Amino acid sequence: MHISIKNNNLTNRLIQRLIIAVDFVVLWTLLFFVVGTIPQSEGWDEEKGGAFWMICTFALIVAEYLFPSVIHERVVGANDILRRSTMLVATQTLLSYLLLRAIHFMSRLGWQLFVMGLLTLVFIILLRFVERWLVKKFRQSGYNTRDVTLIGADKELLNLYHKLKSNPTYGYRFLHIYGDIEELTPDGSISDFKALLSRPESLKLGDEVYLCVPRSERELIEQTVCLCDHRMAKFYYLPTAEEKLNLQPILIDDIGVMTTYTSPLEEPLNRFFKRLSDIFLSVIFLLPTVLLLPFIVMVIKRQSPGPVFFRQLRTGLNGRDFYCYKFRSMHVNSDADRLQATEDDPRKFPFGDFMRKTNIDELPQFWNVLIGDMSIVGPRPHMLAHTEQYDKLIQKYMVRHFVKPGVTGWAQVTGFRGETRELWQMEGRVERDIWYIQHWSLWLDLRIIWMTVKTIFKRDEKAY
Protein backbone atom coordinates (compact mmCIF):
# COMPACT_ATOMS: atom_id res chain seq x y z
CA MET A 1 0.00 0.00 0.00
CA HIS A 2 1.31 3.42 -0.94
CA ILE A 3 1.55 5.70 2.07
CA SER A 4 1.51 9.43 1.46
CA ILE A 5 3.06 11.47 4.23
CA LYS A 6 2.32 15.17 4.57
CA ASN A 7 5.24 17.52 4.67
CA ASN A 8 4.45 18.94 8.11
CA ASN A 9 7.66 17.59 9.60
CA LEU A 10 9.65 18.97 6.67
CA THR A 11 8.02 22.38 7.11
CA ASN A 12 8.71 22.32 10.85
CA ARG A 13 12.36 21.49 10.20
CA LEU A 14 12.55 24.29 7.65
CA ILE A 15 11.09 26.75 10.18
CA GLN A 16 13.58 25.59 12.80
CA ARG A 17 16.51 25.92 10.41
CA LEU A 18 15.44 29.43 9.37
CA ILE A 19 15.31 30.42 13.03
CA ILE A 20 18.80 29.01 13.60
CA ALA A 21 20.07 30.86 10.54
CA VAL A 22 18.69 34.13 11.93
CA ASP A 23 20.47 33.42 15.23
CA PHE A 24 23.80 33.19 13.40
CA VAL A 25 23.07 36.45 11.54
CA VAL A 26 22.44 38.14 14.90
CA LEU A 27 25.71 36.78 16.32
CA TRP A 28 27.81 37.77 13.29
CA THR A 29 26.25 41.25 13.19
CA LEU A 30 27.04 41.84 16.86
CA LEU A 31 30.55 40.42 16.42
CA PHE A 32 31.19 42.98 13.70
CA PHE A 33 30.46 45.83 16.12
CA VAL A 34 31.86 44.27 19.32
CA VAL A 35 35.25 43.42 17.82
CA GLY A 36 35.93 47.14 17.50
CA THR A 37 35.66 47.54 21.28
CA ILE A 38 38.29 44.87 22.01
CA PRO A 39 41.71 46.28 22.90
CA GLN A 40 44.41 45.55 20.30
CA SER A 41 41.82 44.28 17.78
CA GLU A 42 43.08 46.86 15.29
CA GLY A 43 46.35 44.94 15.16
CA TRP A 44 44.73 41.59 14.43
CA ASP A 45 45.76 39.95 11.20
CA GLU A 46 43.30 37.99 9.05
CA GLU A 47 44.19 34.70 10.74
CA LYS A 48 43.63 35.98 14.27
CA GLY A 49 40.37 37.71 13.40
CA GLY A 50 39.16 34.57 11.63
CA ALA A 51 40.00 32.42 14.67
CA PHE A 52 37.94 34.71 16.93
CA TRP A 53 34.91 34.53 14.63
CA MET A 54 35.24 30.76 14.19
CA ILE A 55 35.38 30.07 17.92
CA CYS A 56 32.32 32.24 18.63
CA THR A 57 30.49 30.57 15.74
CA PHE A 58 31.46 27.08 16.91
CA ALA A 59 30.20 27.93 20.41
CA LEU A 60 26.82 28.91 18.95
CA ILE A 61 26.67 25.65 16.97
CA VAL A 62 27.10 23.70 20.24
CA ALA A 63 24.54 25.89 22.02
CA GLU A 64 21.99 25.44 19.21
CA TYR A 65 22.47 21.67 19.47
CA LEU A 66 21.96 21.66 23.25
CA PHE A 67 19.09 24.18 23.36
CA PRO A 68 17.31 24.11 19.98
CA SER A 69 14.44 26.48 19.30
CA VAL A 70 10.90 25.25 20.01
CA ILE A 71 9.12 28.03 18.14
CA HIS A 72 7.85 25.53 15.59
CA GLU A 73 6.04 23.45 18.24
CA ARG A 74 2.24 23.58 18.13
CA VAL A 75 1.81 24.55 21.77
CA VAL A 76 4.70 26.28 23.50
CA GLY A 77 4.65 28.74 26.38
CA ALA A 78 6.54 31.98 26.89
CA ASN A 79 8.23 30.36 29.88
CA ASP A 80 9.90 27.70 27.70
CA ILE A 81 10.87 30.27 25.05
CA LEU A 82 12.58 32.48 27.64
CA ARG A 83 14.32 29.55 29.32
CA ARG A 84 15.73 28.11 26.11
CA SER A 85 16.79 31.53 24.79
CA THR A 86 18.64 32.32 28.02
CA MET A 87 20.38 28.94 28.14
CA LEU A 88 21.32 29.21 24.46
CA VAL A 89 23.03 32.58 24.86
CA ALA A 90 24.62 31.71 28.23
CA THR A 91 26.11 28.52 26.77
CA GLN A 92 27.44 30.34 23.71
CA THR A 93 29.00 33.13 25.78
CA LEU A 94 30.60 30.86 28.38
CA LEU A 95 31.92 28.36 25.81
CA SER A 96 33.38 31.17 23.69
CA TYR A 97 35.19 32.55 26.73
CA LEU A 98 36.56 29.16 27.80
CA LEU A 99 37.77 28.23 24.31
CA LEU A 100 39.45 31.61 23.79
CA ARG A 101 41.18 31.34 27.15
CA ALA A 102 42.22 27.74 26.38
CA ILE A 103 44.17 28.84 23.30
CA HIS A 104 45.51 31.93 25.13
CA PHE A 105 43.87 34.18 22.56
CA MET A 106 43.82 37.26 24.79
CA SER A 107 43.97 37.80 28.52
CA ARG A 108 41.08 40.27 28.73
CA LEU A 109 37.99 39.36 26.76
CA GLY A 110 35.46 38.60 29.49
CA TRP A 111 33.85 42.03 29.63
CA GLN A 112 33.37 42.28 25.87
CA LEU A 113 31.92 38.78 25.65
CA PHE A 114 29.59 39.48 28.56
CA VAL A 115 28.24 42.65 26.90
CA MET A 116 27.87 40.80 23.61
CA GLY A 117 26.00 38.03 25.43
CA LEU A 118 23.54 40.52 26.95
CA LEU A 119 22.95 42.17 23.59
CA THR A 120 22.52 38.78 21.92
CA LEU A 121 20.01 37.71 24.56
CA VAL A 122 17.91 40.85 24.08
CA PHE A 123 17.83 40.44 20.30
CA ILE A 124 17.20 36.68 20.46
CA ILE A 125 14.27 37.05 22.87
CA LEU A 126 12.71 39.81 20.76
CA LEU A 127 13.19 37.73 17.63
CA ARG A 128 11.70 34.64 19.27
CA PHE A 129 8.41 36.36 19.94
CA VAL A 130 8.35 37.90 16.46
CA GLU A 131 9.14 34.48 14.97
CA ARG A 132 6.44 32.85 17.10
CA TRP A 133 3.91 35.43 15.89
CA LEU A 134 4.89 34.79 12.24
CA VAL A 135 4.55 31.01 12.67
CA LYS A 136 1.09 31.49 14.19
CA LYS A 137 0.03 33.70 11.28
CA PHE A 138 1.44 31.13 8.86
CA ARG A 139 -0.68 28.37 10.40
CA GLN A 140 -3.70 30.60 10.75
CA SER A 141 -3.57 31.09 6.97
CA GLY A 142 -3.94 27.33 6.49
CA TYR A 143 -0.32 26.28 6.10
CA ASN A 144 1.73 23.78 8.12
CA THR A 145 -1.44 22.20 9.54
CA ARG A 146 -1.99 18.75 11.04
CA ASP A 147 -5.06 16.65 10.29
CA VAL A 148 -6.67 15.16 13.39
CA THR A 149 -9.07 12.27 13.92
CA LEU A 150 -11.15 12.21 17.14
CA ILE A 151 -12.78 9.03 18.43
CA GLY A 152 -14.99 8.90 21.52
CA ALA A 153 -18.24 9.95 23.15
CA ASP A 154 -17.06 11.56 26.39
CA LYS A 155 -17.07 15.21 27.47
CA GLU A 156 -13.27 15.13 27.77
CA LEU A 157 -13.11 14.68 23.99
CA LEU A 158 -15.46 17.62 23.59
CA ASN A 159 -13.17 19.76 25.78
CA LEU A 160 -10.19 18.78 23.63
CA TYR A 161 -12.12 19.61 20.46
CA HIS A 162 -12.94 23.10 21.74
CA LYS A 163 -9.33 23.61 22.87
CA LEU A 164 -7.85 22.74 19.48
CA LYS A 165 -10.51 24.57 17.47
CA SER A 166 -10.57 27.74 19.57
CA ASN A 167 -7.05 28.70 18.54
CA PRO A 168 -6.42 28.38 14.78
CA THR A 169 -2.77 29.32 15.34
CA TYR A 170 -2.19 25.78 16.63
CA GLY A 171 -2.68 24.61 13.05
CA TYR A 172 -5.04 21.67 13.66
CA ARG A 173 -7.73 20.57 11.20
CA PHE A 174 -10.35 17.91 11.96
CA LEU A 175 -10.26 15.17 9.35
CA HIS A 176 -12.76 12.76 10.93
CA ILE A 177 -14.78 12.54 14.14
CA TYR A 178 -16.28 9.24 15.30
CA GLY A 179 -18.51 9.37 18.36
CA ASP A 180 -21.94 10.07 19.76
CA ILE A 181 -21.54 13.76 20.63
CA GLU A 182 -23.95 15.71 18.41
CA GLU A 183 -22.13 19.00 19.02
CA LEU A 184 -19.12 17.61 17.13
CA THR A 185 -21.16 16.69 14.00
CA PRO A 186 -19.49 13.25 13.80
CA ASP A 187 -18.81 11.30 10.62
CA GLY A 188 -20.06 8.17 12.37
CA SER A 189 -20.37 6.40 15.69
CA ILE A 190 -17.72 4.46 17.61
CA SER A 191 -19.35 1.32 16.22
CA ASP A 192 -18.79 2.66 12.70
CA PHE A 193 -15.13 3.21 13.51
CA LYS A 194 -14.81 -0.35 14.84
CA ALA A 195 -16.32 -1.63 11.60
CA LEU A 196 -13.81 0.39 9.56
CA LEU A 197 -10.95 -1.15 11.54
CA SER A 198 -11.78 -4.47 9.91
CA ARG A 199 -11.12 -2.92 6.48
CA PRO A 200 -8.44 -0.30 7.29
CA GLU A 201 -7.64 0.42 3.63
CA SER A 202 -10.73 2.64 3.54
CA LEU A 203 -9.92 4.40 6.83
CA LYS A 204 -8.06 7.72 6.83
CA LEU A 205 -6.53 8.80 10.13
CA GLY A 206 -4.53 11.92 9.29
CA ASP A 207 -1.48 12.98 11.32
CA GLU A 208 -2.78 12.55 14.86
CA VAL A 209 -5.44 10.34 16.46
CA TYR A 210 -7.08 11.06 19.83
CA LEU A 211 -9.01 8.14 21.33
CA CYS A 212 -11.26 8.74 24.34
CA VAL A 213 -12.91 5.51 25.47
CA PRO A 214 -12.95 3.58 28.77
CA ARG A 215 -9.87 1.46 29.51
CA SER A 216 -12.14 -1.59 29.40
CA GLU A 217 -12.19 -1.15 25.59
CA ARG A 218 -8.76 -2.74 25.49
CA GLU A 219 -9.19 -4.41 22.09
CA LEU A 220 -10.28 -1.14 20.45
CA ILE A 221 -7.34 0.71 21.98
CA GLU A 222 -4.82 -1.91 20.84
CA GLN A 223 -6.23 -2.07 17.29
CA THR A 224 -6.14 1.71 16.97
CA VAL A 225 -2.58 1.88 18.27
CA CYS A 226 -1.50 -0.82 15.81
CA LEU A 227 -3.09 0.98 12.88
CA CYS A 228 -1.57 4.33 13.90
CA ASP A 229 1.87 2.73 14.09
CA HIS A 230 1.39 1.27 10.62
CA ARG A 231 0.20 4.59 9.19
CA MET A 232 2.87 6.58 11.08
CA ALA A 233 0.18 8.67 12.78
CA LYS A 234 0.72 9.95 16.32
CA PHE A 235 -1.61 8.22 18.79
CA TYR A 236 -2.93 9.87 21.96
CA TYR A 237 -5.14 8.22 24.56
CA LEU A 238 -7.45 10.60 26.43
CA PRO A 239 -8.97 9.14 29.63
CA THR A 240 -12.71 9.59 30.04
CA ALA A 241 -14.01 11.99 32.68
CA GLU A 242 -15.00 9.07 34.91
CA GLU A 243 -11.55 7.49 34.73
CA LYS A 244 -9.50 10.68 34.58
CA LEU A 245 -7.57 10.57 37.82
CA ASN A 246 -4.49 12.72 38.21
CA LEU A 247 -2.11 9.75 38.20
CA GLN A 248 1.57 10.05 37.31
CA PRO A 249 3.88 7.12 36.46
CA ILE A 250 6.95 6.66 38.68
CA LEU A 251 9.50 3.88 39.18
CA ILE A 252 10.24 2.03 42.41
CA ASP A 253 13.50 0.40 41.39
CA ASP A 254 12.37 -1.36 38.17
CA ILE A 255 8.66 -1.57 39.02
CA GLY A 256 6.31 0.98 37.45
CA VAL A 257 3.61 2.35 39.73
CA MET A 258 1.15 5.25 39.56
CA THR A 259 0.90 8.05 42.10
CA THR A 260 -1.45 10.97 42.48
CA TYR A 261 0.94 13.92 42.42
CA THR A 262 4.55 14.43 41.47
CA SER A 263 6.58 17.63 41.54
CA PRO A 264 10.02 18.69 40.33
CA LEU A 265 10.55 19.95 43.89
CA GLU A 266 10.80 16.35 45.07
CA GLU A 267 14.31 16.42 43.61
CA PRO A 268 16.88 17.59 46.23
CA LEU A 269 18.81 19.65 43.67
CA ASN A 270 15.68 21.58 42.65
CA ARG A 271 14.85 22.28 46.30
CA PHE A 272 18.42 23.49 46.83
CA PHE A 273 18.24 25.97 43.93
CA LYS A 274 14.82 27.20 45.01
CA ARG A 275 16.04 27.73 48.57
CA LEU A 276 19.16 29.50 47.29
CA SER A 277 17.06 31.87 45.19
CA ASP A 278 14.70 32.42 48.14
CA ILE A 279 17.56 33.49 50.41
CA PHE A 280 19.06 35.77 47.76
CA LEU A 281 15.77 37.49 46.85
CA SER A 282 14.52 37.78 50.44
CA VAL A 283 17.70 39.65 51.42
CA ILE A 284 17.23 41.98 48.44
CA PHE A 285 13.62 42.74 49.44
CA LEU A 286 14.37 43.07 53.16
CA LEU A 287 16.95 45.82 52.59
CA PRO A 288 14.42 48.44 51.38
CA THR A 289 12.01 47.19 54.06
CA VAL A 290 14.51 48.18 56.75
CA LEU A 291 14.87 51.63 55.15
CA LEU A 292 11.08 52.12 55.00
CA LEU A 293 10.52 50.76 58.52
CA PRO A 294 10.81 54.07 60.50
CA PHE A 295 8.29 55.80 58.21
CA ILE A 296 5.87 52.83 58.27
CA VAL A 297 6.10 52.55 62.08
CA MET A 298 5.40 56.26 62.49
CA VAL A 299 2.32 56.29 60.24
CA ILE A 300 0.82 53.06 61.63
CA LYS A 301 1.23 54.30 65.22
CA ARG A 302 -0.30 57.64 64.27
CA GLN A 303 -3.38 56.17 62.59
CA SER A 304 -4.05 53.08 64.70
CA PRO A 305 -3.00 52.16 68.25
CA GLY A 306 -1.43 48.76 68.62
CA PRO A 307 1.53 46.73 67.35
CA VAL A 308 3.28 47.52 64.05
CA PHE A 309 3.46 43.89 62.97
CA PHE A 310 0.52 41.53 62.56
CA ARG A 311 1.35 37.92 63.44
CA GLN A 312 -1.03 35.11 62.52
CA LEU A 313 -0.87 31.32 62.57
CA ARG A 314 -1.21 29.90 59.08
CA THR A 315 -0.90 26.47 57.48
CA GLY A 316 2.50 25.73 55.93
CA LEU A 317 4.55 22.91 54.46
CA ASN A 318 3.08 19.44 55.12
CA GLY A 319 0.23 21.00 57.08
CA ARG A 320 2.46 22.40 59.85
CA ASP A 321 1.43 25.71 61.42
CA PHE A 322 3.74 28.73 61.41
CA TYR A 323 3.51 32.41 62.28
CA CYS A 324 3.12 34.60 59.19
CA TYR A 325 4.24 38.24 59.56
CA LYS A 326 2.74 41.34 57.94
CA PHE A 327 2.61 45.05 58.63
CA ARG A 328 -0.66 45.60 60.48
CA SER A 329 -3.17 47.17 58.09
CA MET A 330 -6.31 46.96 60.25
CA HIS A 331 -7.35 48.20 63.64
CA VAL A 332 -6.87 45.58 66.34
CA ASN A 333 -10.00 43.38 66.26
CA SER A 334 -11.24 39.98 67.41
CA ASP A 335 -12.19 38.77 63.89
CA ALA A 336 -8.68 38.79 62.42
CA ASP A 337 -8.29 35.00 62.63
CA ARG A 338 -11.58 34.09 60.98
CA LEU A 339 -12.70 36.82 58.54
CA GLN A 340 -11.01 37.77 55.23
CA ALA A 341 -10.53 41.42 54.31
CA THR A 342 -13.25 42.86 52.07
CA GLU A 343 -13.13 45.80 49.67
CA ASP A 344 -14.77 48.31 52.02
CA ASP A 345 -13.73 46.63 55.24
CA PRO A 346 -14.32 49.07 58.15
CA ARG A 347 -11.44 47.45 60.06
CA LYS A 348 -8.86 48.99 57.70
CA PHE A 349 -7.30 52.34 58.52
CA PRO A 350 -6.26 54.70 55.64
CA PHE A 351 -2.55 53.88 55.48
CA GLY A 352 -3.34 50.19 56.00
CA ASP A 353 -5.66 50.31 52.99
CA PHE A 354 -2.84 51.89 50.94
CA MET A 355 -0.36 49.23 52.09
CA ARG A 356 -2.72 46.42 51.08
CA LYS A 357 -3.31 47.89 47.62
CA THR A 358 0.43 48.31 47.00
CA ASN A 359 1.47 45.03 48.72
CA ILE A 360 3.66 46.92 51.21
CA ASP A 361 1.97 45.08 54.07
CA GLU A 362 3.44 41.80 52.71
CA LEU A 363 7.09 42.92 53.02
CA PRO A 364 7.70 41.31 56.46
CA GLN A 365 6.89 37.94 54.90
CA PHE A 366 10.35 38.02 53.34
CA TRP A 367 11.55 37.38 56.90
CA ASN A 368 9.41 34.21 56.82
CA VAL A 369 11.18 33.34 53.56
CA LEU A 370 14.64 33.98 55.00
CA ILE A 371 14.06 31.72 58.02
CA GLY A 372 12.59 28.98 55.82
CA ASP A 373 8.88 29.01 56.71
CA MET A 374 7.89 30.33 53.29
CA SER A 375 9.18 30.65 49.74
CA ILE A 376 9.07 33.68 47.43
CA VAL A 377 6.70 31.78 45.12
CA GLY A 378 4.22 29.13 46.19
CA PRO A 379 0.58 28.66 47.23
CA ARG A 380 -0.53 31.50 49.50
CA PRO A 381 -0.82 30.39 53.15
CA HIS A 382 -4.32 30.52 54.61
CA MET A 383 -5.44 31.15 58.15
CA LEU A 384 -6.16 28.00 60.18
CA ALA A 385 -9.92 28.57 60.15
CA HIS A 386 -9.96 28.55 56.37
CA THR A 387 -7.77 25.46 56.17
CA GLU A 388 -10.25 23.61 58.38
CA GLN A 389 -13.23 24.96 56.43
CA TYR A 390 -12.03 24.28 52.89
CA ASP A 391 -10.48 20.92 53.69
CA LYS A 392 -14.04 19.69 54.24
CA LEU A 393 -15.39 21.34 51.08
CA ILE A 394 -12.64 20.78 48.48
CA GLN A 395 -11.27 17.27 48.04
CA LYS A 396 -7.78 18.31 46.83
CA TYR A 397 -7.38 21.31 49.14
CA MET A 398 -4.57 19.90 51.32
CA VAL A 399 -2.46 18.97 48.26
CA ARG A 400 -1.35 22.62 48.07
CA HIS A 401 0.64 22.06 51.27
CA PHE A 402 3.07 19.63 49.62
CA VAL A 403 5.37 22.64 49.07
CA LYS A 404 6.22 25.73 51.11
CA PRO A 405 3.66 28.56 50.95
CA GLY A 406 4.68 31.66 49.02
CA VAL A 407 4.61 35.44 49.23
CA THR A 408 3.06 35.31 45.76
CA GLY A 409 1.82 32.45 43.62
CA TRP A 410 0.50 31.27 40.28
CA ALA A 411 -3.10 31.56 41.47
CA GLN A 412 -2.59 35.18 42.52
CA VAL A 413 -1.17 36.32 39.16
CA THR A 414 -3.81 34.48 37.12
CA GLY A 415 -6.93 36.08 38.59
CA PHE A 416 -7.50 34.26 41.89
CA ARG A 417 -6.23 36.81 44.37
CA GLY A 418 -8.10 38.33 47.29
CA GLU A 419 -11.41 37.51 48.91
CA THR A 420 -13.03 34.16 48.09
CA ARG A 421 -16.73 34.84 48.47
CA GLU A 422 -17.85 31.73 46.59
CA LEU A 423 -16.59 28.16 46.65
CA TRP A 424 -15.64 28.13 42.94
CA GLN A 425 -13.10 30.90 43.61
CA MET A 426 -11.25 28.79 46.15
CA GLU A 427 -11.55 25.74 43.88
CA GLY A 428 -9.91 27.74 41.09
CA ARG A 429 -7.14 28.86 43.42
CA VAL A 430 -6.47 25.28 44.57
CA GLU A 431 -6.44 24.04 40.97
CA ARG A 432 -3.80 26.61 40.02
CA ASP A 433 -1.74 25.90 43.14
CA ILE A 434 -1.63 22.21 42.25
CA TRP A 435 -0.69 23.05 38.65
CA TYR A 436 2.22 25.14 39.96
CA ILE A 437 3.41 22.30 42.20
CA GLN A 438 3.43 19.86 39.28
CA HIS A 439 5.05 22.25 36.78
CA TRP A 440 7.55 24.09 38.99
CA SER A 441 10.73 25.51 37.48
CA LEU A 442 12.99 28.44 38.33
CA TRP A 443 11.83 30.05 35.09
CA LEU A 444 8.19 29.75 36.16
CA ASP A 445 9.11 31.35 39.50
CA LEU A 446 10.80 34.26 37.70
CA ARG A 447 7.74 34.70 35.48
CA ILE A 448 5.41 34.82 38.51
CA ILE A 449 7.69 37.31 40.28
CA TRP A 450 7.70 39.54 37.20
CA MET A 451 3.89 39.34 36.89
CA THR A 452 3.63 40.24 40.59
CA VAL A 453 5.98 43.23 40.26
CA LYS A 454 3.84 44.57 37.41
CA THR A 455 0.82 44.73 39.71
CA ILE A 456 2.68 47.30 41.84
CA PHE A 457 2.57 49.73 38.92
CA LYS A 458 -0.81 48.58 37.59
CA ARG A 459 -3.37 48.46 40.38
CA ASP A 460 -4.96 45.06 40.97
CA GLU A 461 -8.71 45.49 41.53
CA LYS A 462 -8.69 42.47 43.87
CA ALA A 463 -5.98 43.98 46.07
CA TYR A 464 -7.85 45.02 49.20
Side-chain angles (χ1 to χ4, degrees), residues 339-353:
L339 294 181
Q340 287 180 306
T342 58
E343 186 170 6
D344 299 312
D345 202 312
R347 296 176 294 169
K348 293 185 289 188
F349 54 88
F351 184 64
D353 189 37

Side-chain angles (χ1 to χ4, degrees), residues 371-401:
I371 63 178
D373 289 332
M374 293 177 63
S375 182
I376 299 291
V377 181
R380 284 293 295 157
H382 294 160
M383 63 180 76
L384 302 189
H386 279 172
T387 299
E388 184 178 352
Q389 174 190 355
Y390 288 113
D391 182 30
K392 298 174 182 176
L393 298 174
I394 302 174
Q395 182 180 359
K396 301 177 182 178
Y397 180 81
M398 294 304 291
V399 174
R400 64 196 303 276
H401 301 110

Side-chain angles (χ1 to χ4, degrees), residues 240-260:
T240 61
E242 185 178 352
E243 294 180 332
K244 193 172 184 180
L245 294 174
N246 198 4
L247 296 178
Q248 306 290 329
I250 62 170
L251 284 175
I252 299 178
D253 197 2
D254 59 344
I255 300 176
V257 298
M258 305 292 285
T259 185
T260 47

